[in-house]
Coordinates of all heavy atoms in Angstrom, one line a residue:
M452 N 6.3 36.0 12.3 CA 5.2 36.2 13.2 C 4.7 34.9 13.8 O 4.4 34.0 13.0 CB 4.1 37.0 12.5 CG 3.1 37.7 13.4 SD 3.8 38.9 14.5 CE 4.6 40.0 13.4
A453 N 4.6 34.8 15.1 CA 4.2 33.5 15.7 C 2.7 33.2 15.6 O 1.9 34.1 15.1 CB 4.6 33.5 17.1
Y454 N 2.3 32.1 16.0 CA 0.9 31.7 16.0 C 0.4 31.8 17.4 O 1.2 31.8 18.4 CB 0.7 30.3 15.5 CG 0.5 30.3 14.0 CD1 1.6 30.7 13.1 CD2 -0.7 30.0 13.4 CE1 1.4 30.8 11.8 CE2 -0.9 30.0 12.0 CZ 0.2 30.4 11.2 OH 0.0 30.5 9.9
Q455 N -0.9 31.9 17.6 CA -1.5 31.9 18.9 C -2.8 31.1 18.9 O -3.4 30.8 17.8 CB -1.9 33.4 19.3 CG -3.0 34.0 18.4 CD -3.3 35.4 18.7 OE1 -2.8 36.0 19.7 NE2 -4.0 36.1 17.8
I456 N -3.2 30.7 20.1 CA -4.4 29.9 20.2 C -5.6 30.8 20.6 O -5.4 31.6 21.5 CB -4.2 28.7 21.2 CG1 -3.2 27.7 20.5 CG2 -5.5 28.0 21.5 CD1 -2.9 26.5 21.3
T457 N -6.7 30.6 20.0 CA -7.8 31.5 20.2 C -8.9 30.9 21.1 O -8.8 29.7 21.5 CB -8.5 31.8 18.9 OG1 -9.2 30.7 18.4 CG2 -7.5 32.3 17.8
S458 N -9.9 31.6 21.3 CA -11.1 31.1 22.2 C -11.9 30.1 21.4 O -12.7 29.4 22.0 CB -12.0 32.3 22.5 OG -12.5 32.9 21.4
Q459 N -11.6 29.9 20.1 CA -12.3 28.8 19.4 C -11.7 27.4 19.8 O -12.3 26.4 19.4 CB -12.1 29.0 17.9 CG -12.5 30.3 17.4 CD -14.0 30.5 17.4 OE1 -14.7 29.6 16.9 NE2 -14.5 31.5 18.1
C460 N -10.6 27.4 20.4 CA -10.0 26.1 20.8 C -10.9 25.3 21.7 O -11.4 25.8 22.6 CB -8.6 26.4 21.5 SG -7.8 24.9 22.2
I461 N -11.0 24.0 21.4 CA -11.8 23.1 22.1 C -10.9 22.1 22.9 O -11.4 21.1 23.4 CB -12.8 22.3 21.2 CG1 -12.0 21.5 20.1 CG2 -13.8 23.2 20.6 CD1 -12.9 20.6 19.3
S462 N -9.6 22.4 23.0 CA -8.7 21.6 23.8 C -8.7 20.1 23.4 O -8.7 19.2 24.3 CB -9.0 21.7 25.3 OG -8.9 23.1 25.7
C463 N -8.7 19.9 22.1 CA -8.7 18.5 21.7 C -7.3 17.9 21.8 O -7.1 16.7 21.6 CB -9.2 18.5 20.2 SG -8.0 19.1 19.0
K464 N -6.3 18.6 22.0 CA -4.9 18.2 22.2 C -4.2 17.6 20.9 O -3.2 17.0 20.9 CB -4.8 17.1 23.2 CG -5.2 17.6 24.6 CD -5.0 16.6 25.6 CE -5.4 17.2 27.0 NZ -5.8 16.2 27.9
L465 N -4.8 17.9 19.7 CA -4.2 17.3 18.5 C -3.0 18.1 18.1 O -2.0 17.5 17.6 CB -5.2 17.4 17.3 CG -6.3 16.4 17.3 CD1 -7.3 16.7 16.2 CD2 -5.8 15.0 17.1
C466 N -2.9 19.4 18.4 CA -1.8 20.2 17.9 C -0.5 20.0 18.7 O 0.6 20.1 18.1 CB -2.2 21.7 17.9 SG -2.7 22.3 19.4
Q467 N -0.7 19.7 20.0 CA 0.6 19.7 20.8 C 1.6 18.7 20.3 O 2.8 19.1 20.1 CB 0.2 19.5 22.2 CG 1.4 19.8 23.1 CD 1.3 19.1 24.5 OE1 0.7 18.1 24.6 NE2 2.0 19.7 25.4
P468 N 1.3 17.5 20.1 CA 2.3 16.5 19.7 C 2.9 16.7 18.3 O 4.0 16.3 18.0 CB 1.6 15.1 19.8 CG 0.1 15.4 19.7 CD 0.0 16.8 20.3
I469 N 2.2 17.5 17.4 CA 2.7 17.7 16.0 C 3.5 19.0 15.9 O 4.1 19.2 14.8 CB 1.5 17.6 15.0 CG1 0.5 18.7 15.3 CG2 0.9 16.3 14.9 CD1 -0.6 18.8 14.2
C470 N 3.5 19.8 16.9 CA 4.4 21.0 16.8 C 5.8 20.6 16.8 O 6.3 20.0 17.8 CB 4.0 21.9 18.0 SG 5.1 23.4 18.0
P471 N 6.6 20.9 15.8 CA 8.0 20.5 15.7 C 8.9 21.2 16.7 O 10.0 20.7 16.9 CB 8.4 20.9 14.2 CG 7.5 21.9 13.8 CD 6.2 21.7 14.6
T472 N 8.5 22.3 17.3 CA 9.4 23.0 18.2 C 8.9 22.9 19.6 O 9.6 23.5 20.5 CB 9.5 24.5 17.8 OG1 8.2 25.1 18.0 CG2 9.9 24.7 16.4
G473 N 7.8 22.2 19.9 CA 7.4 22.0 21.3 C 6.9 23.3 21.8 O 6.9 23.6 23.1
A474 N 6.3 24.2 21.0 CA 5.9 25.5 21.4 C 4.5 25.5 22.1 O 4.1 26.5 22.7 CB 5.9 26.5 20.2
I475 N 3.7 24.5 21.8 CA 2.3 24.4 22.3 C 2.3 23.8 23.7 O 2.8 22.7 24.0 CB 1.4 23.7 21.4 CG1 1.4 24.4 20.0 CG2 0.0 23.6 22.0 CD1 0.7 23.6 18.9
K476 N 1.8 24.6 24.7 CA 1.8 24.2 26.1 C 0.4 24.0 26.5 O -0.6 24.6 26.0 CB 2.5 25.3 26.9 CG 3.8 25.8 26.4 CD 4.9 24.7 26.6 CE 6.3 25.2 26.1 NZ 7.2 24.1 26.0
I477 N 0.2 23.2 27.6 CA -1.1 23.0 28.2 C -1.1 23.3 29.6 O -0.2 22.8 30.4 CB -1.6 21.5 27.9 CG1 -1.5 21.2 26.5 CG2 -3.0 21.4 28.5 CD1 -1.9 19.7 26.2
E478 N -2.0 24.2 30.1 CA -2.1 24.5 31.5 C -2.8 23.4 32.2 O -3.4 22.5 31.6 CB -2.9 25.8 31.6 CG -2.3 27.1 31.0 CD -1.0 27.5 31.8 OE1 -0.9 27.2 33.0 OE2 -0.2 28.2 31.2
E479 N -2.7 23.4 33.5 CA -3.3 22.4 34.3 C -4.8 22.3 34.1 O -5.4 21.3 34.2 CB -3.1 22.6 35.8 CG -1.7 22.1 36.3 CD -1.5 22.3 37.7 OE1 -2.4 22.6 38.5 OE2 -0.3 22.2 38.1
D480 N -5.4 23.5 33.8 CA -6.9 23.5 33.6 C -7.2 23.1 32.1 O -8.4 23.1 31.8 CB -7.5 24.9 33.9 CG -6.9 26.0 33.0 OD1 -6.1 25.6 32.1 OD2 -7.2 27.1 33.1
G481 N -6.2 22.7 31.4 CA -6.5 22.2 30.0 C -6.4 23.2 28.9 O -6.5 23.0 27.7
R482 N -6.2 24.5 29.3 CA -6.1 25.6 28.4 C -4.8 25.5 27.6 O -3.7 25.3 28.2 CB -6.2 26.9 29.1 CG -6.3 28.1 28.2 CD -6.4 29.4 29.0 NE -5.3 29.6 30.0 CZ -4.2 30.1 29.7 NH1 -3.9 30.6 28.5 NH2 -3.2 30.2 30.6
H483 N -4.9 25.6 26.3 CA -3.7 25.5 25.4 C -3.2 26.9 25.1 O -4.0 27.9 25.0 CB -4.0 24.9 24.1 CG -4.2 23.4 24.2 ND1 -5.2 22.8 25.0 CD2 -3.6 22.4 23.5 CE1 -5.1 21.5 24.9 NE2 -4.2 21.2 24.0
W484 N -1.9 27.0 25.0 CA -1.3 28.3 24.6 C 0.0 28.1 23.9 O 0.6 27.0 24.0 CB -1.1 29.2 25.8 CG -0.1 28.7 26.8 CD1 -0.4 27.8 27.8 CD2 1.2 29.1 27.0 NE1 0.7 27.5 28.5 CE2 1.7 28.3 28.1 CE3 2.1 30.0 26.4 CZ2 3.0 28.5 28.6 CZ3 3.4 30.1 26.9 CH2 3.9 29.4 27.9
I485 N 0.4 29.0 23.1 CA 1.7 28.9 22.3 C 2.8 29.8 22.8 O 2.5 31.0 23.0 CB 1.4 29.2 20.8 CG1 0.5 28.1 20.3 CG2 2.7 29.2 20.0 CD1 0.1 28.4 18.8
D486 N 3.9 29.2 23.1 CA 5.1 30.0 23.6 C 5.6 30.7 22.4 O 6.2 30.1 21.5 CB 6.1 29.1 24.2 CG 7.3 29.8 24.8 OD1 7.5 31.0 24.4 OD2 7.9 29.3 25.7
Q487 N 5.4 32.0 22.3 CA 5.8 32.8 21.2 C 7.3 32.8 20.9 O 7.8 33.0 19.8 CB 5.4 34.3 21.4 CG 4.0 34.5 21.8 CD 3.0 34.4 20.6 OE1 3.1 35.2 19.7 NE2 2.1 33.5 20.6
K488 N 8.1 32.5 21.9 CA 9.6 32.5 21.7 C 10.0 31.2 21.0 O 11.0 31.1 20.4 CB 10.3 32.5 23.1 CG 10.2 33.9 23.7 CD 11.0 34.0 25.0 CE 10.3 34.7 26.1 NZ 9.9 33.9 27.2
L489 N 9.2 30.1 21.2 CA 9.5 28.8 20.5 C 8.9 28.6 19.2 O 9.4 27.9 18.4 CB 9.1 27.7 21.4 CG 9.8 27.6 22.8 CD1 9.2 26.4 23.6 CD2 11.3 27.3 22.6
C490 N 7.8 29.3 18.9 CA 7.1 29.2 17.6 C 7.9 29.8 16.5 O 8.3 30.9 16.6 CB 5.7 29.8 17.7 SG 4.8 29.7 16.1
T491 N 8.1 29.0 15.5 CA 8.8 29.4 14.3 C 7.9 29.5 13.0 O 8.4 29.6 11.9 CB 10.0 28.5 14.0 OG1 9.4 27.2 13.7 CG2 11.0 28.4 15.2
N492 N 6.6 29.4 13.2 CA 5.7 29.3 12.1 C 6.0 28.0 11.3 O 5.6 27.9 10.1 CB 5.7 30.5 11.1 CG 5.1 31.7 11.8 OD1 4.7 31.6 12.9 ND2 5.1 32.8 11.0
C493 N 6.7 27.1 11.9 CA 7.0 25.8 11.2 C 8.0 26.1 10.0 O 8.2 25.2 9.2 CB 5.8 25.0 10.7 SG 4.9 24.3 12.0
A494 N 8.6 27.3 10.0 CA 9.6 27.6 8.9 C 10.9 26.8 9.2 O 11.1 26.5 10.4 CB 9.9 29.1 8.9
D495 N 11.6 26.5 8.2 CA 12.9 25.7 8.4 C 12.7 24.3 8.9 O 13.5 23.8 9.6 CB 13.9 26.5 9.3 CG 14.2 27.9 8.7 OD1 14.3 28.0 7.5 OD2 14.4 28.8 9.5
T496 N 11.5 23.8 8.6 CA 11.2 22.4 9.0 C 10.8 21.6 7.8 O 10.8 22.2 6.7 CB 10.1 22.3 10.1 OG1 8.9 22.7 9.5 CG2 10.4 23.1 11.3
V497 N 10.4 20.4 7.9 CA 10.0 19.6 6.8 C 8.6 20.0 6.3 O 8.1 19.6 5.3 CB 10.0 18.1 7.0 CG1 11.5 17.6 7.3 CG2 9.1 17.7 8.2
Y498 N 7.9 20.8 7.2 CA 6.5 21.1 6.9 C 6.4 22.4 6.0 O 7.2 23.3 6.2 CB 5.7 21.3 8.2 CG 5.8 20.1 9.1 CD1 6.5 20.2 10.3 CD2 5.2 18.9 8.7 CE1 6.6 19.1 11.1 CE2 5.3 17.8 9.6 CZ 6.0 17.9 10.8 OH 6.1 16.9 11.6
T499 N 5.5 22.4 5.2 CA 5.3 23.6 4.3 C 4.2 24.5 4.9 O 4.0 25.6 4.4 CB 4.9 23.2 2.9 OG1 3.8 22.4 2.9 CG2 6.1 22.5 2.2
V500 N 3.4 24.0 5.8 CA 2.3 24.8 6.4 C 2.4 24.7 7.9 O 2.9 23.7 8.4 CB 0.9 24.4 5.9 CG1 0.8 24.7 4.5 CG2 0.7 23.0 6.2
P501 N 2.0 25.7 8.7 CA 2.0 25.6 10.1 C 1.1 24.4 10.6 O -0.1 24.3 10.2 CB 1.4 26.9 10.6 CG 1.6 27.8 9.5 CD 1.6 27.0 8.2
Q502 N 1.7 23.5 11.3 CA 1.1 22.2 11.6 C -0.1 22.4 12.6 O -1.1 21.7 12.5 CB 2.1 21.2 12.2 CG 3.1 20.8 11.2 CD 2.4 20.0 10.1 OE1 2.0 18.9 10.3 NE2 2.2 20.6 8.9
C503 N 0.0 23.3 13.5 CA -1.1 23.5 14.5 C -2.4 24.0 13.7 O -3.4 23.5 14.0 CB -0.7 24.5 15.5 SG -0.1 26.1 14.9
Q504 N -2.2 24.9 12.8 CA -3.4 25.3 12.1 C -3.9 24.3 11.1 O -5.1 24.1 11.0 CB -3.0 26.6 11.3 CG -4.2 27.2 10.7 CD -3.9 28.5 9.9 OE1 -2.9 28.6 9.2 NE2 -4.7 29.5 10.1
A505 N -3.0 23.6 10.5 CA -3.4 22.6 9.5 C -4.2 21.5 10.1 O -5.1 20.9 9.5 CB -2.2 22.0 8.8
G506 N -3.9 21.1 11.3 CA -4.6 19.9 11.9 C -5.7 20.3 12.9 O -6.4 19.4 13.4
C507 N -6.0 21.6 13.0 CA -7.0 22.0 14.0 C -8.4 21.8 13.5 O -8.8 22.3 12.4 CB -6.8 23.5 14.3 SG -8.0 24.1 15.6
P508 N -9.2 21.0 14.2 CA -10.5 20.7 13.8 C -11.5 21.9 13.8 O -12.5 21.9 13.1 CB -11.0 19.6 14.7 CG -10.2 19.8 16.0 CD -8.9 20.4 15.5
T509 N -11.1 22.9 14.5 CA -12.0 24.1 14.5 C -11.7 25.2 13.4 O -12.4 26.1 13.3 CB -11.9 24.8 15.9 OG1 -10.6 25.5 16.0 CG2 -12.1 23.9 17.1
C510 N -10.6 24.9 12.7 CA -10.1 25.9 11.7 C -9.6 27.2 12.3 O -8.6 27.7 11.8 CB -11.2 26.2 10.7 SG -11.7 24.7 9.8
N511 N -10.2 27.7 13.3 CA -9.7 29.0 13.8 C -9.1 28.9 15.2 O -9.0 29.9 16.0 CB -10.9 30.0 13.9 CG -11.4 30.3 12.5 OD1 -10.6 30.5 11.6 ND2 -12.7 30.5 12.3
G512 N -8.8 27.7 15.6 CA -8.2 27.5 17.0 C -6.8 28.0 17.0 O -6.3 28.5 18.1
C513 N -6.0 27.9 15.9 CA -4.6 28.4 15.9 C -4.6 29.4 14.7 O -4.8 29.0 13.6 CB -3.6 27.3 15.5 SG -3.5 26.0 16.8
V514 N -4.3 30.6 15.0 CA -4.2 31.6 14.0 C -2.9 32.4 14.2 O -2.3 32.5 15.3 CB -5.4 32.6 14.0 CG1 -6.7 31.9 13.8 CG2 -5.4 33.4 15.3
K515 N -2.5 33.1 13.1 CA -1.2 33.9 13.1 C -1.5 35.1 13.9 O -2.5 35.7 13.8 CB -0.8 34.2 11.7 CG 0.6 34.6 11.6 CD 1.1 34.6 10.2 CE 0.7 35.8 9.4 NZ 1.3 36.0 8.1
V516 N -0.5 35.5 14.7 CA -0.6 36.7 15.5 C -0.5 37.9 14.5 O 0.5 38.0 13.8 CB 0.5 36.8 16.5 CG1 0.5 38.2 17.3 CG2 0.5 35.7 17.5
P517 N -1.5 38.8 14.4 CA -1.5 39.9 13.5 C -0.3 40.8 13.9 O -0.1 41.0 15.0 CB -2.8 40.5 13.6 CG -3.4 40.1 14.9 CD -2.8 38.8 15.2
S518 N 0.3 41.4 12.8 CA 1.4 42.3 13.1 C 0.9 43.7 13.4 O 1.6 44.5 14.1 CB 2.3 42.4 11.8 OG 1.6 42.8 10.7
D519 N -0.3 44.0 13.0 CA -0.9 45.3 13.4 C -2.4 45.2 13.5 O -3.0 44.2 13.2 CB -0.4 46.5 12.5 CG -0.9 46.3 11.1 OD1 -1.9 45.6 10.9 OD2 -0.2 46.8 10.2
Y520 N -3.0 46.3 13.9 CA -4.5 46.3 14.1 C -5.2 45.9 12.8 O -6.1 45.1 12.8 CB -4.9 47.7 14.5 CG -6.4 47.9 14.5 CD1 -7.2 47.5 15.6 CD2 -7.1 48.5 13.4 CE1 -8.6 47.6 15.6 CE2 -8.5 48.6 13.4 CZ -9.2 48.2 14.5 OH -10.6 48.3 14.5
W521 N -4.8 46.5 11.6 CA -5.6 46.3 10.4 C -5.4 44.8 9.9 O -6.3 44.3 9.3 CB -5.2 47.3 9.3 CG -5.8 48.6 9.7 CD1 -5.2 49.7 10.1 CD2 -7.2 48.9 9.7 NE1 -6.1 50.7 10.3 CE2 -7.3 50.3 10.1 CE3 -8.4 48.2 9.4 CZ2 -8.6 50.9 10.3 CZ3 -9.6 48.8 9.6 CH2 -9.7 50.2 10.0
E522 N -4.2 44.3 10.1 CA -4.0 42.9 9.6 C -5.0 42.0 10.5 O -5.6 41.1 9.9 CB -2.6 42.4 9.8 CG -2.3 41.1 9.3 CD -0.9 40.6 9.5 OE1 -0.1 41.3 10.1 OE2 -0.6 39.5 9.0
G523 N -5.1 42.2 11.8 CA -6.0 41.5 12.6 C -7.4 41.7 12.2 O -8.2 40.8 12.2
W524 N -7.8 42.9 11.9 CA -9.1 43.3 11.4 C -9.5 42.5 10.2 O -10.6 41.9 10.1 CB -9.3 44.8 11.2 CG -10.7 45.2 11.0 CD1 -11.5 45.7 12.0 CD2 -11.4 45.2 9.8 NE1 -12.7 46.0 11.4 CE2 -12.7 45.7 10.1 CE3 -11.1 44.9 8.5 CZ2 -13.7 45.9 9.1 CZ3 -12.1 45.1 7.5 CH2 -13.4 45.6 7.8
F525 N -8.6 42.5 9.2 CA -8.9 41.8 7.9 C -8.9 40.3 8.1 O -9.7 39.6 7.4 CB -7.9 42.2 6.8 CG -8.3 43.5 6.2 CD1 -7.5 44.6 6.4 CD2 -9.4 43.6 5.4 CE1 -7.8 45.8 5.8 CE2 -9.7 44.8 4.8 CZ -8.9 46.0 5.0
E526 N -8.1 39.8 9.0 CA -8.1 38.3 9.2 C -9.5 37.9 9.8 O -10.1 36.9 9.4 CB -7.0 37.9 10.1 CG -5.7 37.7 9.4 CD -4.5 37.3 10.3 OE1 -4.8 36.9 11.4 OE2 -3.4 37.4 9.8
K527 N -9.9 38.7 10.8 CA -11.2 38.4 11.4 C -12.3 38.5 10.4 O -13.2 37.7 10.3 CB -11.5 39.3 12.6 CG -12.6 38.9 13.4 CD -12.7 39.7 14.7 CE -13.9 39.2 15.5 NZ -13.9 39.9 16.8
Y528 N -12.3 39.6 9.6 CA -13.3 39.8 8.5 C -13.3 38.6 7.5 O -14.4 38.1 7.2 CB -12.9 41.1 7.8 CG -13.8 41.4 6.5 CD1 -15.0 42.0 6.7 CD2 -13.3 41.0 5.3 CE1 -15.8 42.2 5.6 CE2 -14.0 41.3 4.2 CZ -15.3 41.9 4.3 OH -16.1 42.1 3.2
N529 N -12.2 38.2 7.1 CA -12.1 37.1 6.2 C -12.6 35.8 6.7 O -13.3 35.0 6.1 CB -10.7 36.9 5.6 CG -10.3 38.0 4.7 OD1 -11.1 38.6 4.0 ND2 -9.0 38.3 4.6
R530 N -12.4 35.6 8.0 CA -12.9 34.4 8.7 C -14.4 34.4 8.8 O -15.1 33.4 8.5 CB -12.3 34.2 10.1 CG -10.9 33.7 10.2 CD -10.6 33.1 11.6 NE -10.7 34.1 12.6 CZ -9.6 34.9 13.0 NH1 -8.5 34.8 12.3 NH2 -9.8 35.8 14.0
V531 N -15.0 35.5 9.1 CA -16.4 35.7 9.2 C -17.0 35.5 7.8 O -18.0 34.8 7.6 CB -16.8 37.1 9.7 CG1 -18.3 37.3 9.6 CG2 -16.4 37.1 11.2
I532 N -16.4 36.1 6.8 CA -16.9 35.9 5.4 C -16.9 34.5 4.9 O -17.8 34.0 4.3 CB -16.1 36.8 4.4 CG1 -16.4 38.3 4.7 CG2 -16.4 36.5 3.0 CD1 -17.9 38.7 4.5
A533 N -15.8 33.8 5.3 CA -15.6 32.4 4.9 C -16.7 31.6 5.5 O -17.3 30.7 4.9 CB -14.3 31.9 5.3
K534 N -17.1 31.9 6.8 CA -18.1 31.1 7.5 C -19.5 31.4 6.7 O -20.2 30.4 6.5 CB -18.3 31.6 8.9 CG -17.4 30.8 9.9 CD -17.7 31.2 11.3 CE -16.7 30.7 12.2 NZ -16.8 31.3 13.6
L535 N -19.8 32.6 6.4 CA -21.0 32.9 5.7 C -21.0 32.2 4.3 O -22.1 31.7 3.9 CB -21.1 34.4 5.5 CG -21.3 35.2 6.8 CD1 -21.3 36.7 6.5 CD2 -22.7 34.9 7.4
T536 N -19.9 32.2 3.7 CA -19.8 31.6 2.4 C -20.1 30.1 2.5 O -20.8 29.5 1.7 CB -18.5 31.8 1.7 OG1 -18.2 33.2 1.7 CG2 -18.4 31.3 0.3
K537 N -19.5 29.5 3.5 CA -19.7 28.0 3.7 C -21.1 27.7 4.0 O -21.6 26.7 3.5 CB -18.8 27.5 4.9 CG -17.4 27.3 4.5 CD -16.5 26.8 5.7 CE -15.1 26.9 5.3 NZ -14.2 26.8 6.5
K538 N -21.8 28.6 4.8 CA -23.2 28.4 5.0 C -24.0 28.4 3.7 O -24.9 27.6 3.5 CB -23.7 29.4 6.0 CG -23.4 29.1 7.4 CD -24.1 30.0 8.4 CE -23.7 29.7 9.8 NZ -23.8 30.8 10.6
Q539 N -23.6 29.4 2.9 CA -24.3 29.4 1.6 C -24.1 28.1 0.8 O -25.0 27.6 0.2 CB -23.8 30.6 0.8 CG -24.5 30.9 -0.5 CD -25.9 31.2 -0.3 OE1 -26.3 32.0 0.5 NE2 -26.8 30.6 -1.1
D540 N -22.8 27.7 0.8 CA -22.5 26.4 0.1 C -23.3 25.3 0.7 O -23.8 24.4 0.0 CB -21.0 26.0 0.3 CG -20.2 27.0 -0.5 OD1 -20.7 27.7 -1.4 OD2 -18.9 27.0 -0.3
Y541 N -23.5 25.3 2.0 CA -24.2 24.2 2.7 C -25.7 24.2 2.2 O -26.2 23.2 1.8 CB -24.2 24.4 4.2 CG -25.2 23.5 4.9 CD1 -24.8 22.2 5.2 CD2 -26.5 23.9 5.3 CE1 -25.6 21.3 5.9 CE2 -27.3 23.0 5.9 CZ -26.9 21.7 6.2 OH -27.8 20.9 6.8
W542 N -26.3 25.4 2.1 CA -27.7 25.4 1.7 C -27.9 25.2 0.2 O -28.9 24.6 -0.2 CB -28.3 26.8 2.1 CG -28.5 26.9 3.6 CD1 -27.9 27.7 4.5 CD2 -29.4 26.0 4.4 NE1 -28.3 27.4 5.7 CE2 -29.2 26.4 5.7 CE3 -30.3 25.0 4.1 CZ2 -29.9 25.8 6.8 CZ3 -31.0 24.4 5.1 CH2 -30.8 24.8 6.4
D543 N -26.9 25.6 -0.6 CA -26.9 25.2 -2.0 C -26.9 23.7 -2.2 O -27.6 23.1 -2.9 CB -25.7 25.8 -2.7 CG -25.9 27.3 -3.0 OD1 -27.0 27.8 -2.8 OD2 -24.9 28.0 -3.3
R544 N -26.0 23.0 -1.4 CA -25.9 21.6 -1.5 C -27.2 20.9 -1.0 O -27.7 20.0 -1.6 CB -24.7 21.1 -0.7 CG -23.4 21.3 -1.3 CD -22.3 20.4 -0.7 NE -22.2 20.6 0.7 CZ -21.4 21.6 1.3 NH1 -20.8 22.4 0.5 NH2 -21.4 21.7 2.6
W545 N -27.7 21.5 0.1 CA -29.0 21.0 0.7 C -30.1 21.1 -0.4 O -30.8 20.1 -0.6 CB -29.3 21.8 1.9 CG -30.5 21.2 2.7 CD1 -30.5 20.3 3.7 CD2 -31.9 21.6 2.4 NE1 -31.8 20.0 4.1 CE2 -32.7 20.8 3.3 CE3 -32.6 22.4 1.5 CZ2 -34.0 20.9 3.4 CZ3 -33.9 22.5 1.6 CH2 -34.7 21.7 2.5
F546 N -30.2 22.2 -1.0 CA -31.3 22.5 -2.0 C -31.1 21.5 -3.2 O -32.0 20.9 -3.6 CB -31.2 23.9 -2.5 CG -32.3 24.2 -3.4 CD1 -33.6 24.5 -2.9 CD2 -32.1 24.3 -4.8 CE1 -34.6 24.8 -3.8 CE2 -33.1 24.6 -5.6 CZ -34.4 24.9 -5.2
N547 N -29.8 21.3 -3.6 CA -29.6 20.5 -4.8 C -29.9 19.0 -4.5 O -30.3 18.2 -5.3 CB -28.1 20.6 -5.2 CG -27.9 21.9 -5.9 OD1 -28.8 22.6 -6.4 ND2 -26.6 22.4 -5.9
C548 N -29.7 18.7 -3.2 CA -29.9 17.3 -2.8 C -31.4 16.9 -2.6 O -31.8 15.9 -3.1 CB -29.2 17.0 -1.4 SG -29.3 15.4 -0.9
Y549 N -32.1 17.9 -2.1 CA -33.5 17.6 -1.7 C -34.5 18.1 -2.7 O -35.7 17.9 -2.6 CB -33.8 18.0 -0.3 CG -33.1 17.2 0.7 CD1 -32.0 17.8 1.4 CD2 -33.4 15.9 1.0 CE1 -31.2 17.1 2.3 CE2 -32.7 15.2 1.9 CZ -31.6 15.8 2.6 OH -30.9 15.0 3.5
S550 N -34.1 18.9 -3.7 CA -35.1 19.5 -4.6 C -35.3 18.5 -5.8 O -34.6 17.6 -6.0 CB -34.6 20.8 -5.2 OG -33.4 20.7 -5.9
Ligands
SF4_1688 S1 3.2 27.4 13.8 FE1 4.4 25.5 13.9 S2 6.0 26.0 15.4 FE2 4.4 27.5 15.7 S3 3.1 26.6 17.3 FE3 2.2 26.0 15.3 S4 3.1 24.0 14.9 FE4 4.4 24.9 16.5
SF4_1689 S1 -5.8 21.5 17.5 FE1 -7.1 23.4 17.6 S2 -8.8 22.8 18.9 FE2 -7.2 21.2 19.2 S3 -6.1 21.9 21.0 FE3 -5.0 22.7 19.2 S4 -5.9 24.8 18.9 FE4 -7.2 23.7 20.3

């Protein structure tokens, strides 16, 4: 299953040069997109994780294309929960630092 670029992308251009198959394209307006025919999930390369996702500063700029509705639903759910959890961590750290 290939990867895709989401609306979270800030067009930082970090992912394009590190893609081993040249699957990440940039439109004239700066919008990034992934050619699904070229994306191999970085399988069969020296990398053990998808490079576009690993290097993305937004964390959710490059995500795997869900194979069906429920896989997509759970991925989105897990991302939202992770954000909420991180906020909790942030406030825990803030409280420990300033209390
Ligand atoms: S998963 Fe790998 S091959 Fe696919 S777009 Fe990302 S960096 Fe390129
Ligand atoms: S690394 Fe992430 S934010 Fe930067 S261009 Fe690629 S998808 Fe967009």
